Amino acid sequence: MPASFVVWVLTALILTAVLTQSWWEPRLQARGVNVRRWPWRWWLLGYPGTALRIVGTWRRLSYLNGLAVSTSPDRRLIGRDLVVQGQALKPKPPRLSWPAPTPNGLTLRVLLHPGQTPAPYFAAARAMEHAWRVHGVRVTSPRRGQVVIHVTALDPLTGELPSVQPGTQALLTADVGRTEDGESWLVDLRRVPHWLVTGATQSGKSSFLAALVLALARQPVALVGIDCKGGMELGLFGGRLSALAVDRTQAVDLLSKVVKEIQERMRVCRSSGARSVWELPEGARPVPVVVIVDELAELYLTDGSRDSRDQAEQCGTLLLRIGQLGAALGVHLVVAGQRIGSDLGPRVTALRAQLGGRVAHRVHDESSAEMTLGDINPDAVVTAQSITEDEQGTAVVAMGGRWVRARSRLITTAEATEITHTAPPAAPFLSRADPVEIQKGETAA
């Protein structure tokens, strides 16, 4: 009787909501609540079955993966001087909370037994994926004695990503795609000032850079490009760029003038008693500058001649200075390449240490993923290696010790044209001469 009563009540509520949708939906949208984007299908159909499957398999899963612990002693005294030691029978599974739904999955908390550590749970994540038939499982331990299991039921990185409305992002914040937890992938240069982007050919680096340029093009930000492949990638946005260098000679000149701009901003901050440009009055604050470098290796490779080695050394020194000094002065670096390792020179390793944000797309070898994510989390390296050729644009994003899978938004031809027709900020540089004097669509001279 109680079960049938609950079914009738739920049915009545659903019918009432459907019949009155024309009344309550416009009122919720007026308050900024978009009901049509709510995951109704997952909440009504997917979540109940997945939650019951998790609860029903938890005991057996704990036994098979060493998560259950016996509270009985594992040794017993027989006679006067004989101790028998072995594995205690009937171990007790840890206590599991009821799964709480999320937009594309669910979360559950586990209370550890005294003396347990989260390590067995980290190792059992793959077993949980197969036992619960879900897309992914992430295990974290935010508090002592507690483990949180984040379950992603369906891959949210598939399908078409929604477009971003202009003017909805804060200064130096770019919405470039979506993360695996269903949230927007935000690149916040105020929080993480410098970024490293790696990946093989056709892995999605260009899509990420285009999405980043599109988001920043709508803001009062000066974009400076270095594309030593003849400007084939960044040249598409030449009309919006304040400067563009298409070979290493131009890159040395451009980077030198960016460093000069940093020194000028230092002088302004010092005379105003400010430790960063963000402490200056809004009217006196200089325009932020974002330096985007595509294919970093082209700046470091040499043909063996002395001039070539000197230019590569200059590029390494200038980029390192920008990385070390630029964050507090509103100058940011976004560096992309297929490989950014010590084989390019010792200054590359020093530069990589300054790039706190990491984006690793599909790679061909373990070392490429290791040099991008290895110093942040070994598990992220394994995940980056599992990205297939069919998942173009998908990457592992790491910052602040945390990592997550994400996919950048594909920029259409119309959106790229919109970027080209957007004018850059007028006179964004404090130094006497602008870094490069160019006309729209032209490259650096």
Side-chain angles (χ1 to χ4, degrees), residues 41 73 104 112 167 183 194 286-287 311 322 328 347 358 371 376 390:
R41 182 179 180 87
N104 65 330
L112 302 181
E183 302 295 331
H194 308 308
V287 175
Q311 282 188 340
I322 294 173
R347 295 189 183 275
R358 308 291 177 85
M371 66 188 180
I376 294 180
D390 296 331

PDB file of all heavy atoms in Angstrom, residues 41 73 104 112 167 183 194 286-287 311 322 328 347 358 371 376 390:
ATOM      1  N   ARG A  41      16.156  14.022 -18.355  1.00  0.00           N
ATOM      2  CA  ARG A  41      16.254  12.604 -18.741  1.00  0.00           C
ATOM      3  C   ARG A  41      17.141  11.835 -17.768  1.00  0.00           C
ATOM      4  O   ARG A  41      16.813  10.709 -17.371  1.00  0.00           O
ATOM      5  CB  ARG A  41      16.783  12.495 -20.171  1.00  0.00           C
ATOM      6  CG  ARG A  41      16.864  11.064 -20.681  1.00  0.00           C
ATOM      7  CD  ARG A  41      17.374  11.041 -22.120  1.00  0.00           C
ATOM      8  NE  ARG A  41      17.470   9.683 -22.626  1.00  0.00           N
ATOM      9  CZ  ARG A  41      16.478   9.033 -23.191  1.00  0.00           C
ATOM     10  NH1 ARG A  41      15.300   9.629 -23.341  1.00  0.00           N
ATOM     11  NH2 ARG A  41      16.628   7.802 -23.623  1.00  0.00           N
ATOM     12  N   PRO A  73      40.568  -9.312  15.308  1.00  0.00           N
ATOM     13  CA  PRO A  73      42.031  -9.412  15.233  1.00  0.00           C
ATOM     14  C   PRO A  73      42.445 -10.478  14.220  1.00  0.00           C
ATOM     15  O   PRO A  73      41.740 -11.464  14.009  1.00  0.00           O
ATOM     16  CB  PRO A  73      42.428  -9.804  16.659  1.00  0.00           C
ATOM     17  CG  PRO A  73      41.205 -10.422  17.256  1.00  0.00           C
ATOM     18  CD  PRO A  73      40.040  -9.713  16.629  1.00  0.00           C
ATOM     19  N   ASN A 104      25.241  15.466 -14.582  1.00  0.00           N
ATOM     20  CA  ASN A 104      25.565  14.370 -15.496  1.00  0.00           C
ATOM     21  C   ASN A 104      26.132  13.154 -14.774  1.00  0.00           C
ATOM     22  O   ASN A 104      26.817  12.340 -15.375  1.00  0.00           O
ATOM     23  CB  ASN A 104      26.577  14.840 -16.554  1.00  0.00           C
ATOM     24  CG  ASN A 104      27.914  15.198 -15.931  1.00  0.00           C
ATOM     25  OD1 ASN A 104      27.971  15.633 -14.792  1.00  0.00           O
ATOM     26  ND2 ASN A 104      28.981  15.005 -16.683  1.00  0.00           N
ATOM     27  N   LEU A 112      35.871   6.220   6.034  1.00  0.00           N
ATOM     28  CA  LEU A 112      36.926   5.216   6.134  1.00  0.00           C
ATOM     29  C   LEU A 112      36.929   4.574   7.517  1.00  0.00           C
ATOM     30  O   LEU A 112      36.584   5.208   8.520  1.00  0.00           O
ATOM     31  CB  LEU A 112      38.285   5.852   5.857  1.00  0.00           C
ATOM     32  CG  LEU A 112      38.465   6.547   4.503  1.00  0.00           C
ATOM     33  CD1 LEU A 112      39.881   7.103   4.388  1.00  0.00           C
ATOM     34  CD2 LEU A 112      38.177   5.610   3.360  1.00  0.00           C
ATOM     35  N   GLY A 167      29.982  39.448 -23.507  1.00  0.00           N
ATOM     36  CA  GLY A 167      29.851  40.292 -22.327  1.00  0.00           C
ATOM     37  C   GLY A 167      29.472  39.568 -21.058  1.00  0.00           C
ATOM     38  O   GLY A 167      29.155  40.200 -20.056  1.00  0.00           O
ATOM     39  N   GLU A 183      30.454  21.531 -16.426  1.00  0.00           N
ATOM     40  CA  GLU A 183      30.599  22.962 -16.204  1.00  0.00           C
ATOM     41  C   GLU A 183      31.380  23.603 -17.354  1.00  0.00           C
ATOM     42  O   GLU A 183      32.013  22.922 -18.157  1.00  0.00           O
ATOM     43  CB  GLU A 183      31.315  23.223 -14.872  1.00  0.00           C
ATOM     44  CG  GLU A 183      30.614  22.632 -13.663  1.00  0.00           C
ATOM     45  CD  GLU A 183      29.263  23.253 -13.406  1.00  0.00           C
ATOM     46  OE1 GLU A 183      29.088  24.440 -13.757  1.00  0.00           O
ATOM     47  OE2 GLU A 183      28.383  22.579 -12.858  1.00  0.00           O
ATOM     48  N   HIS A 194      49.696  32.248 -16.583  1.00  0.00           N
ATOM     49  CA  HIS A 194      50.420  31.713 -17.738  1.00  0.00           C
ATOM     50  C   HIS A 194      49.994  30.264 -17.990  1.00  0.00           C
ATOM     51  O   HIS A 194      49.812  29.489 -17.044  1.00  0.00           O
ATOM     52  CB  HIS A 194      51.938  31.775 -17.518  1.00  0.00           C
ATOM     53  CG  HIS A 194      52.439  33.134 -17.115  1.00  0.00           C
ATOM     54  ND1 HIS A 194      52.131  34.274 -17.830  1.00  0.00           N
ATOM     55  CD2 HIS A 194      53.220  33.534 -16.078  1.00  0.00           C
ATOM     56  CE1 HIS A 194      52.711  35.324 -17.243  1.00  0.00           C
ATOM     57  NE2 HIS A 194      53.360  34.899 -16.180  1.00  0.00           N
ATOM     58  N   PRO A 286      46.878  50.106 -16.933  1.00  0.00           N
ATOM     59  CA  PRO A 286      47.156  49.801 -18.343  1.00  0.00           C
ATOM     60  C   PRO A 286      46.318  48.623 -18.833  1.00  0.00           C
ATOM     61  O   PRO A 286      45.811  47.820 -18.048  1.00  0.00           O
ATOM     62  CB  PRO A 286      48.651  49.462 -18.344  1.00  0.00           C
ATOM     63  CG  PRO A 286      48.927  49.002 -16.951  1.00  0.00           C
ATOM     64  CD  PRO A 286      48.015  49.799 -16.058  1.00  0.00           C
ATOM     65  N   VAL A 287      46.187  48.535 -20.131  1.00  0.00           N
ATOM     66  CA  VAL A 287      45.419  47.452 -20.754  1.00  0.00           C
ATOM     67  C   VAL A 287      46.171  46.130 -20.590  1.00  0.00           C
ATOM     68  O   VAL A 287      47.383  46.072 -20.829  1.00  0.00           O
ATOM     69  CB  VAL A 287      45.192  47.758 -22.242  1.00  0.00           C
ATOM     70  CG1 VAL A 287      44.510  46.590 -22.939  1.00  0.00           C
ATOM     71  CG2 VAL A 287      44.374  49.030 -22.401  1.00  0.00           C
ATOM     72  N   GLN A 311      69.791  33.862 -31.637  1.00  0.00           N
ATOM     73  CA  GLN A 311      68.373  34.196 -31.648  1.00  0.00           C
ATOM     74  C   GLN A 311      67.565  33.263 -30.745  1.00  0.00           C
ATOM     75  O   GLN A 311      66.665  33.706 -30.023  1.00  0.00           O
ATOM     76  CB  GLN A 311      67.826  34.121 -33.086  1.00  0.00           C
ATOM     77  CG  GLN A 311      68.182  35.317 -33.946  1.00  0.00           C
ATOM     78  CD  GLN A 311      67.457  35.267 -35.284  1.00  0.00           C
ATOM     79  OE1 GLN A 311      66.999  34.218 -35.725  1.00  0.00           O
ATOM     80  NE2 GLN A 311      67.352  36.419 -35.927  1.00  0.00           N
ATOM     81  N   ILE A 322      59.370  37.347 -19.325  1.00  0.00           N
ATOM     82  CA  ILE A 322      57.936  37.655 -19.354  1.00  0.00           C
ATOM     83  C   ILE A 322      57.179  36.747 -18.374  1.00  0.00           C
ATOM     84  O   ILE A 322      56.288  37.192 -17.647  1.00  0.00           O
ATOM     85  CB  ILE A 322      57.387  37.504 -20.779  1.00  0.00           C
ATOM     86  CG1 ILE A 322      58.010  38.553 -21.700  1.00  0.00           C
ATOM     87  CG2 ILE A 322      55.864  37.637 -20.794  1.00  0.00           C
ATOM     88  CD1 ILE A 322      57.652  38.371 -23.168  1.00  0.00           C
ATOM     89  N   ALA A 328      52.070  40.066 -12.408  1.00  0.00           N
ATOM     90  CA  ALA A 328      51.601  41.193 -11.591  1.00  0.00           C
ATOM     91  C   ALA A 328      51.432  42.468 -12.404  1.00  0.00           C
ATOM     92  O   ALA A 328      50.815  43.422 -11.919  1.00  0.00           O
ATOM     93  CB  ALA A 328      52.571  41.438 -10.437  1.00  0.00           C
ATOM     94  N   ARG A 347      66.509  26.398 -21.104  1.00  0.00           N
ATOM     95  CA  ARG A 347      65.598  27.509 -20.793  1.00  0.00           C
ATOM     96  C   ARG A 347      64.132  27.115 -20.968  1.00  0.00           C
ATOM     97  O   ARG A 347      63.249  27.740 -20.384  1.00  0.00           O
ATOM     98  CB  ARG A 347      65.935  28.721 -21.663  1.00  0.00           C
ATOM     99  CG  ARG A 347      67.313  29.320 -21.378  1.00  0.00           C
ATOM    100  CD  ARG A 347      67.504  30.632 -22.089  1.00  0.00           C
ATOM    101  NE  ARG A 347      68.832  31.141 -21.853  1.00  0.00           N
ATOM    102  CZ  ARG A 347      69.198  31.863 -20.789  1.00  0.00           C
ATOM    103  NH1 ARG A 347      68.288  32.135 -19.872  1.00  0.00           N
ATOM    104  NH2 ARG A 347      70.428  32.294 -20.639  1.00  0.00           N
ATOM    105  N   ARG A 358      48.071  24.042 -17.355  1.00  0.00           N
ATOM    106  CA  ARG A 358      48.530  23.049 -18.331  1.00  0.00           C
ATOM    107  C   ARG A 358      47.339  22.470 -19.084  1.00  0.00           C
ATOM    108  O   ARG A 358      46.318  22.120 -18.477  1.00  0.00           O
ATOM    109  CB  ARG A 358      49.278  21.909 -17.626  1.00  0.00           C
ATOM    110  CG  ARG A 358      50.407  22.367 -16.696  1.00  0.00           C
ATOM    111  CD  ARG A 358      51.568  22.945 -17.464  1.00  0.00           C
ATOM    112  NE  ARG A 358      52.613  23.436 -16.583  1.00  0.00           N
ATOM    113  CZ  ARG A 358      53.578  22.677 -16.074  1.00  0.00           C
ATOM    114  NH1 ARG A 358      53.618  21.390 -16.358  1.00  0.00           N
ATOM    115  NH2 ARG A 358      54.490  23.203 -15.288  1.00  0.00           N
ATOM    116  N   MET A 371      55.897  15.527 -19.756  1.00  0.00           N
ATOM    117  CA  MET A 371      56.530  16.832 -19.601  1.00  0.00           C
ATOM    118  C   MET A 371      55.486  17.930 -19.396  1.00  0.00           C
ATOM    119  O   MET A 371      55.812  19.019 -18.922  1.00  0.00           O
ATOM    120  CB  MET A 371      57.387  17.156 -20.822  1.00  0.00           C
ATOM    121  CG  MET A 371      56.613  17.335 -22.097  1.00  0.00           C
ATOM    122  SD  MET A 371      57.726  17.486 -23.505  1.00  0.00           S
ATOM    123  CE  MET A 371      56.545  17.669 -24.847  1.00  0.00           C
ATOM    124  N   ILE A 376      52.490  17.575 -12.033  1.00  0.00           N
ATOM    125  CA  ILE A 376      51.253  17.936 -11.341  1.00  0.00           C
ATOM    126  C   ILE A 376      50.548  16.706 -10.798  1.00  0.00           C
ATOM    127  O   ILE A 376      50.200  16.648  -9.617  1.00  0.00           O
ATOM    128  CB  ILE A 376      50.322  18.719 -12.285  1.00  0.00           C
ATOM    129  CG1 ILE A 376      50.971  20.066 -12.638  1.00  0.00           C
ATOM    130  CG2 ILE A 376      48.950  18.948 -11.662  1.00  0.00           C
ATOM    131  CD1 ILE A 376      50.146  20.924 -13.555  1.00  0.00           C
ATOM    132  N   ASP A 390      39.577  10.212 -32.365  1.00  0.00           N
ATOM    133  CA  ASP A 390      38.188  10.625 -32.566  1.00  0.00           C
ATOM    134  C   ASP A 390      37.756  11.715 -31.593  1.00  0.00           C
ATOM    135  O   ASP A 390      36.683  12.286 -31.760  1.00  0.00           O
ATOM    136  CB  ASP A 390      37.248   9.425 -32.426  1.00  0.00           C
ATOM    137  CG  ASP A 390      37.495   8.374 -33.496  1.00  0.00           C
ATOM    138  OD1 ASP A 390      37.935   8.763 -34.597  1.00  0.00           O
ATOM    139  OD2 ASP A 390      37.263   7.184 -33.222  1.00  0.00           O
TER     140      ASP A 390
END
